[in-house]
Amino acid sequence: MSADYILYALMGITAISILMIMFERKVYRIIIYTAIFSLIISGIYLVLGSPDVAMAEAAIGAYAIIFMIVMAEKYYKRDKTDAEGKKKAPVVISKASSSLPQVLGGLVFVGALAALFVHFAPTSVEANLELRTDYLLRAGDEVGGQNVIGAILMAYRLYDTLFEALLLVIAIMAVSHLSWLGKDYITKGRKSDIQKDKVAFYSIRIISPLILMFGIYLVANGHISAGGGFQGGLAIACFFICRYMIHDIYDMPVKKVLKMEEIVFMALVIVAVLTIFLNVDVPYQHTVLFQNFQLIAANALVGVKVACGFFILFYRYITIERTEKLEK
Amino acid sequence: MQILGMATIEFFAIALFFIAIFGLITSNNAIKSIVFMTILNAAVITFWIGIGAREGSLPPIMETPDHIYMIGEMSDPVPQALMITAIVIGFSVTAINIIMMNTLFRRYKTSDWKTLFKMMREETVGDGKILSDIVFIKDEKDFDEEGAK
């Protein structure tokens, strides 16, 4: 019963945060409320018994997306004076909240949609219980490890994981092509502002190796506890962002990282084809040691791939944020 | 507790979904629209996690062999595995959204939708033609002229 009350409290905070996002006009505050929303909703996932999803949502919703929006916002707000020192016309970030007809029309439209949904929706949805019991009972023997979600991601539904990795590659390609940059990295530009603030500087410096250690722990321990390749890879990418924030590094070897990502993706496909799709009968395939090794290898490959992908995405955004001044 | 015949978490997820659609319709700022897209994604994920949850809300991790007697209290692993995929895909979509917004901003220097559409409508190219007339063909006559060339 107490878990229910925690759930209701978290839902209430989420509702408040989403209302604050809706009625806020300043973009920085919207970003902060979005981070709060993502953290609270990951708490809801945790209470509902899914720590893996909670970890992924917290890392992506409250860190990665926030980082990107902050970079975009910094890019929008920069250079308020032009070359002659005159003040430019202010950039319109958010002019005003919506007009009354817009709000009323939106309310009518969404209300009609919701009424239709409530009228036609089934009263309560039940997931497929047979499949659930089947996976829970069989995963330990067939795939190994103790984390059933890891077993599903790395063995039963490896197609999904492969296509997800492919989609991340496509996103990186799209970002690289849409970001109007001829070169991959720059060696000049503005300095990072974080070195002025000693508290932030030293605290990030102390925390960042711990983040790296946590990421490696998540990847290596993904088959026996909550965590896995995606969450660990994100944590490792976060370590590189911390390094950027402390040391203000410009000339990261982005091309080498890209090459590494390609090689790791090919290795992942080869491992998947050999062990899952072709069903090669390896000796000792059903021993605990072999199964654990296989799961750790798959998790590590996914982790390295995700870390490389996110690192390139982050670095692309940093480069965009910094390069405009050089362009003029 | 049940609301409108649904469990609380399902009602919450569906309400979140419709609120996000409302926000998408009424937001004037592009960053706000992107934020509401992520909230839409989170609503769908909440729905699937909610229907997979059980009374005991244990995570589907078999720490010891004894846990096999507790699978009645464990939440469903299949939606969880799929939702991790959905989260990463939602992130990819958001990354592309933000970079497209940056490209638009670099050209028009605004992230306000109304100003943006107004500027796009009035933008001219080399010989004084309006850009949107060329990109979006309005009359059949224009189409024939373009096709003839």
Side-chain angles (χ1 to χ4, degrees), chain A residues 49 98 123 132 146 149 317 327, chain B residues 5 26 71 74-75 80 95 106:
Chain A
S98 315
T123 46
R132 165 178 168 275
Q146 293 158 8
I149 299 162
Y317 275 89
E327 217 175 21
Chain B
T26 57
I71 59 170
M74 280 179 185
S75 47
Q80 293 191 24
R106 183 167 173 264

Side-chain angles (χ1 to χ4, degrees), chain B residues 11 21 23 34 43 56 58 69 77 82 85-86 90-91 99 110 114 119 123 130 132 143-144:
Chain B
F11 177 79
I21 287 181
I34 293 170
L58 280 177
Y69 302 112
L82 296 183
T85 315
F91 171 77
I99 204 82
T110 178
K114 281 179 187 167
M119 288 169 87
E123 190 179 19
I130 293 176
S132 58
F143 180 75
D144 291 341

Side-chain angles (χ1 to χ4, degrees), chain A residues 14-15 18-19 22 110 114, chain B residues 12-26 36 39-40 43:
Chain A
T14 316
I18 198 169
L19 286 178
M22 201 169 268
V110 174
Chain B
F12 171 72
I14 290 163
L16 209 61
F17 183 83
F18 285 117
I19 289 172
I21 287 181
F22 176 72
L24 264 177
I25 292 171
T26 57
F36 277 112
I39 291 173
L40 203 68

Side-chain angles (χ1 to χ4, degrees), chain A residues 48-69:
Chain A
L48 291 175
S50 44
D52 296 71
V53 186
M55 225 180 272
E57 173 68 30
I60 285 185
Y63 182 83
I65 290 177
I66 298 304
F67 180 82
M68 288 182 171
I69 299 179

